[in-house]
Amino acid sequence: EAGVTQFPSHSVIEKGQTVTLRCDPISGHDNLYWYRRVMGKEIKFLLHFVKESKQDESGMPNNRFLAERTGGTYSTLKVQPAELEDSGVYFCASSQGGQKMPQHFGDGTRLSIL
Amino acid sequence: GNSVTQMEGPVTLSEEAFLTINCTYTATGYPSLFWYVQYPGEGLQLLLKATKADDKGSNKGFEATYRKETTSFHLEKGSVQVSDSAVYFCAFIGGGADGLTFGKGTHLIIQP
């Protein structure tokens, strides 16, 4: 089966611009998670979808970040306007079943804000 | 709050050496514990897991035991190979949050 795919793999934009990251979970996985790793720091949880509903968005840094999962399939994470501190690697993960089920990760999108 | 503490490294070992990467956690309730691995140029992969106290997770020669009394989940391997060179992340789920709580990752380098 195809794994979690993320696009693009790398994005370089200027401060103030808008960027949209996409994640395609494993087919049939209801749970979709977004995480972020800022250089030198831990990987941090951003939010969790169950199908198309946001279950927990307690980790979203501020209202410049908007995540959607229309139709409960792929998800997008939009940053508008981007700031320097948003640079990092954004990971998406998916799982099926309860909270204790392992999450399968994509390769990540490396976002660089200049 | 929730947190994971692990050595960051880099940890450099010779091939066939014994490996221990320490991991301790702070969480409320009864979390499930995981080790993830990131090989160069790749994404995070689940290495092993344990869901309750005294469970031992194992995979690819790696082992870790869920120690509730010491809130630890140390990763061990008896004889490492060059192909084990990667970054290893200790993580848990639980403690009131939906997502995984990660440590900073341990960069492991195995020399031939």
Side-chain angles (χ1 to χ4, degrees):
Chain A
E1 71 182 356
V4 177
T5 56
Q6 294 187 242
F7 182 83
S9 58
H10 194 181
S11 180
V12 181
I13 63 171
E14 293 187 348
K15 176 183 172 181
Q17 291 186 321
T18 298
V19 63
T20 301
L21 314 181
R22 173 170 169 145
C23 169
D24 286 75
I26 293 172
S27 178
H29 281 194
D30 288 339
N31 297 299
L32 188 148
Y33 304 83
W34 283 98
Y35 295 85
R36 176 175 74 171
R37 188 182 191 195
V38 173
M39 187 175 291
K41 302 284 186 66
E42 300 89 342
I43 300 170
K44 290 287 193 183
F45 165 74
L46 297 179
L47 87 158
H48 170 211
F49 284 99
V50 176
K51 297 184 180 179
E52 67 277 8
S53 300
K54 291 177 185 174
Q55 191 74 12
D56 179 356
E57 51 184 332
S58 61
M60 292 287 265
N62 52 60
N63 59 10
R64 294 185 294 102
F65 290 75
L66 176 63
E68 295 180 322
R69 192 182 182 194
T70 306
T73 54
Y74 71 90
S75 175
T76 57
L77 179 64
K78 182 163 72 173
V79 185
Q80 180 183 29
E83 298 291 344
L84 297 177
E85 64 265 24
D86 301 332
S87 294
V89 181
Y90 290 76
F91 292 101
C92 175
S94 72
S95 70
Q96 182 61 1
Q99 187 184 45
K100 294 187 176 183
M101 296 305 291
Q103 296 178 24
H104 301 267
F105 281 77
D107 289 348
T109 293
R110 181 173 296 278
L111 179 61
S112 301
I113 312 300
L114 305 180
Chain B
N2 296 337
S3 67
V4 174
T5 301
Q6 59 177 116
M7 62 177 80
E8 292 181 46
V11 174
T12 303
L13 296 173
S14 297
E15 205 166 23
E16 299 184 3
F18 184 87
L19 169 71
T20 299
I21 300 177
N22 290 336
C23 169
T24 58
Y25 65 90
T26 300
T28 57
Y30 302 94
S32 292
L33 305 178
F34 303 87
W35 277 99
Y36 279 85
V37 58
Q38 185 175 26
Y39 297 103
E42 299 183 15
L44 289 164
Q45 301 175 25
L46 177 67
L47 181 59
L48 52 85
K49 67 180 176 78
T51 58
K52 61 183 188 296
D54 300 324
D55 268 1
K56 178 186 285 187
S58 61
N59 186 26
K60 299 182 181 180
F62 290 89
E63 293 183 339
T65 300
Y66 190 145
R67 300 290 188 197
K68 186 167 173 57
E69 64 277 13
T70 55
T71 62
S72 65
F73 193 52
H74 305 322
L75 183 68
E76 297 183 334
K77 185 174 185 181
S79 176
V80 293
Q81 305 300 313
V82 172
S83 57
D84 294 327
S85 299
V87 181
Y88 292 80
F89 294 89
C90 184
F92 70 81
I93 199 157
D98 272 18
L100 289 159
T101 298
F102 282 90
K104 288 187 175 183
T106 299
H107 185 193
L108 177 65
I109 300 170
I110 307 300
Q111 296 178 332

